[in-house]
Amino acid sequence: MTTRIKEIFQTGQPDQSVTVQGWVRTKRELKEFTFLEVNDGSSLANLQVILEPTLPDYENVLKTISTGTAIAVSGNLVPSPGKGQNIELKAAEITLYGDCPADYPLQKKRHSFEFLRTIAHLRARTNTLGAVMRVRNACATAIHTFFQEKGFIWVHTPIITANDCEGAGELFTVTSLDLKKPANFAEDFFGKRAYLTVSGQLQAEVMAMALSNVYTFGPTFRAENSNTSRHLAEFWMVEPEMAFCDLEGDQDLAEAFLKYIFKFVLENCPEDLQFFNERIDKTVLSTAENIVNSEFGRITYSEAIELLEKADRQFEFPVEWGVDLQSEHERYLAEELFKKPVIVTNYPKTIKAFYMRLDDSNKTVSAMDILAPKIGEIIGGSQREERLDVLIQRMQEQGMNPDDLWWYLELRRYGSVPHAGFGLGFERLVQFMTGMTNIRDVIPFPRTPLSADF
Ligand code: 4AD
Ligand code: MG
């Protein structure tokens, strides 16, 4: 039976006999004995292991162990005289699984995140990327727990689809291809057009029209060739969809949702968040506390434009009613004016998707974006257009053929109800939580215009 290192730090007692398995981070040879730092990914902290010359085959063991070596260590826990941790392991037996030659790229020194991206297959063994993966896991757990506690049903929407939900034309196409034959890219999805989904929303709406409250949590794809620190070509999205819900209910749920996730991670990953706060961004902990304890700002798009027009600065993109908010505007509002997340509602219909509910003014739609400090848009959502005639008109206005979405329109013919939902960009959430500046460093294998190997 092996024990995870996290458990040893939580419940390990002196004299307890344990076996741990992990990778050696460092080896420090002194005259009388040798120290190893071993990590198994369960916690940020390494377990200190002491090897004494009485250990069977001591000299040989020392020769084969180096940074990166995979080992199992059995022995007794002893109180640690050093500062930092209370317990360490005195080795009685060492098993070597895999040695690690000196060209191992993760030698003990600081590596840039840029360099680490070129070794995505190894970088989870570093402190930062390991902590990112644990926080990412905690965020995902919090998301499921939040919705499950509220009785939402997790639905699995397709990855391959015929629709462009957002209408932004940022699609990857799916083509069947026999690698043994010369490529024929015209031969697409069994004679039909098919794409990788940009959002599970339309299918989630189908499910909400039967199950009332549902959510999706899966990969989505955008063929935007943008090399920014906030865009990926493949990212994960969480999309709740609620029948009998309006824009206000949508905002309330989104705010409660973000608060829940931050509280959950604060409680479940305190060491990792502390690490990010010390090493990556010294506002990580105060931001998390602020999310949990403060009410989000709520303004309309028109109010946002007024605030931006009054701003004491020149923006690169000038603002006037009707323009889409750029990241510099979003960040000014959330980071500098509100200093907390702010929900902006009722955007002009011309800059939003066809499915958003038209307001009485006929100029705006019941949209909402949540803007977060340092990130900008983290959530995008809306109340959906439930009136068949208005929906058809909106599709036509945007140059869409209503027949292409005949099944979506039928939802408005058969027992239509007001409904609303939103999409949370999962990697932007993890960025927000950890303070990591580049979105490529919060997903195990980033898909961006420049990555292909992994
Ligand atoms: O605002 P978006 O495009 O909204 C939708 O897709 C809706 N169908 C959601 C819904 O109402 N069910 O995307 C939602 C969120 C954004 O707020 C952002 O956080 C994230 O997805 N996102 C991206 N994250 C990483 N890389 C990209 N290229 C992203 N594009 C959007
Ligand atoms: Mg959006």
Side-chain angles (χ1 to χ4, degrees):
M1 258 271 286
T2 57
T3 310
R4 302 298 303 276
I5 289 173
K6 179 179 182 178
E7 204 184 315
I8 290 182
F9 287 130
Q10 284 170 344
T11 59
Q13 296 296 329
D15 292 333
Q16 188 184 335
S17 138
V18 296
T19 300
V20 298
Q21 297 168 314
W23 292 266
V24 174
R25 285 284 178 86
T26 57
K27 177 177 78 171
R28 208 152 38 98
E29 284 182 63
L30 303 180
K31 256 209 204 98
E32 319 84 271
F33 40 70
T34 298
F35 286 122
L36 303 180
E37 299 280 341
V38 178
N39 191 284
D40 67 359
S42 62
S43 84
L44 191 66
N46 302 322
L47 181 66
Q48 179 150 282
V49 174
I50 312 148
L51 313 186
E52 291 181 335
T54 49
L55 191 75
D57 213 13
Y58 182 67
E59 292 301 325
N60 250 337
V61 167
L62 276 201
K63 254 188 253 151
T64 40
I65 290 181
S66 58
T67 297
T69 309
I71 57 171
V73 189
S74 302
N76 278 349
L77 295 177
V78 292
S80 173
K83 59 175 169 23
Q85 53 203 40
N86 53 355
I87 211 133
E88 54 194 32
L89 174 60
K90 201 164 155 186
E93 193 189 339
I94 299 238
T95 312
L96 184 76
Y97 289 117
D99 58 6
C100 191
D103 62 356
Y104 181 54
L106 292 177
Q107 297 302 331
K108 194 178 158 62
K109 67 174 181 120
R110 284 243 173 167
H111 302 283
S112 72
F113 291 127
E114 219 159 28
F115 166 70
L116 291 176
R117 269 171 237 145
T118 67
I119 50 165
H121 59 303
L122 297 173
R123 68 177 182 164
R125 301 184 194 183
T126 62
N127 280 338
T128 308
L129 268 291
V132 163
M133 294 312 149
R134 283 185 298 272
V135 168
R136 201 181 147 98
N137 168 65
C139 288
T141 308
I143 286 163
H144 283 299
T145 314
F146 175 83
F147 286 126
Q148 294 297 327
E149 279 175 0
K150 287 191 165 344
F152 280 58
I153 296 183
W154 181 22
V155 297
H156 306 105
T157 50
I159 302 291
I160 299 178
T161 171
N163 327 112
D164 177 10
C165 171
E166 293 307 297
E170 293 166 341
L171 302 159
F172 289 109
T173 58
V174 175
T175 304
S176 59
L177 195 63
D178 183 342
L179 287 176
K180 292 186 261 0
K181 293 185 189 153
N184 174 7
F185 289 101
E187 210 183 279
D188 45 23
F189 191 77
F190 310 117
K192 283 199 162 177
R193 272 271 161 107
Y195 315 106
L196 294 178
T197 188
V198 297
S199 157
Q201 178 196 319
L202 302 186
Q203 292 90 351
E205 282 185 60
V206 168
M207 292 297 137
M209 290 303 108
L211 304 165
S212 292
N213 290 338
V214 302
Y215 69 105
T216 71
F217 188 176
T220 48
F221 307 85
R222 305 262 166 122
E224 45 191 346
N225 195 353
S226 47
N227 268 305
T228 79
S229 57
R230 287 177 194 82
H231 288 89
L232 291 163
E234 175 183 295
F235 64 99
W236 284 61
M237 192 162 25
V238 183
E239 296 183 275
E241 192 68 35
M242 294 149 292
F244 315 102
C245 181
D246 61 11
L247 185 62
E248 201 172 319
D250 206 25
Q251 294 176 71
D252 292 345
L253 184 87
E255 180 167 348
F257 176 55
L258 284 180
K259 286 183 153 61
Y260 183 96
I261 303 170
F262 274 86
K263 188 159 186 276
F264 185 97
V265 178
L266 275 168
E267 285 167 7
N268 287 278
C269 297
E271 291 92 7
D272 290 323
L273 284 193
Q274 185 73 43
F275 169 83
F276 288 115
N277 198 65
E278 276 167 23
R279 300 291 182 86
I280 303 294
D281 176 348
K282 59 183 186 320
T283 66
V284 159
L285 286 176
S286 57
T287 301
E289 300 282 355
N290 191 26
I291 302 289
V292 176
N293 297 317
S294 66
E295 256 177 48
F296 292 6
R298 293 192 188 196
I299 54 173
T300 63
Y301 167 88
S302 300
E303 287 164 345
I305 293 294
E306 269 174 40
L307 291 170
L308 291 164
E309 280 172 343
K310 273 194 250 151
D312 56 353
R313 76 182 52 192
Q314 207 72 39
F315 292 110
E316 191 188 337
F317 296 92
V319 270
E320 59 172 333
W321 202 96
V323 303
D324 206 356
L325 298 186
Q326 302 294 322
S327 145
E328 56 171 344
H329 309 132
E330 297 178 339
R331 292 187 53 175
Y332 172 77
L333 291 168
E335 219 162 297
E336 295 180 45
L337 270 190
F338 282 83
K339 299 190 168 46
K340 61 183 179 185
V342 51
I343 312 182
V344 181
T345 57
N346 307 96
Y347 284 72
K349 67 172 178 180
T350 46
I351 56 170
K352 287 293 185 186
F354 73 97
Y355 54 72
M356 298 190 181
R357 193 178 196 280
L358 190 63
D359 293 329
D360 291 342
S361 68
N362 274 349
K363 288 201 183 97
T364 57
V365 286
S366 292
M368 68 146 186
D369 277 2
I370 302 194
L371 315 180
K374 303 207 171 135
I375 304 294
E377 180 191 335
I378 190 164
I379 280 181
S382 63
Q383 182 173 341
R384 320 305 189 187
E385 185 54 76
E386 84 284 12
R387 298 162 294 184
L388 182 63
D389 51 339
V390 186
L391 183 58
I392 291 176
Q393 202 191 330
R394 290 272 292 134
M395 290 175 83
Q396 284 165 342
E397 270 170 28
Q398 300 210 357
M400 298 169 63
N401 179 0
D403 292 343
D404 291 345
L405 283 178
W406 62 272
W407 53 273
Y408 187 70
L409 295 176
E410 284 202 352
L411 298 177
R412 276 72 183 168
R413 290 184 57 219
Y414 303 136
S416 188
V417 297
H419 61 290
F422 63 81
L424 164 78
F426 186 58
E427 283 73 25
R428 292 199 187 165
L429 168 77
V430 181
Q431 265 193 291
F432 192 25
M433 185 79 68
T434 57
M436 295 294 288
T437 50
N438 197 313
I439 198 164
R440 296 169 176 81
D441 300 326
V442 297
I443 186 167
F445 302 101
R447 294 290 92 117
T448 64
L450 299 177
S451 73
D453 281 0
F454 300 97

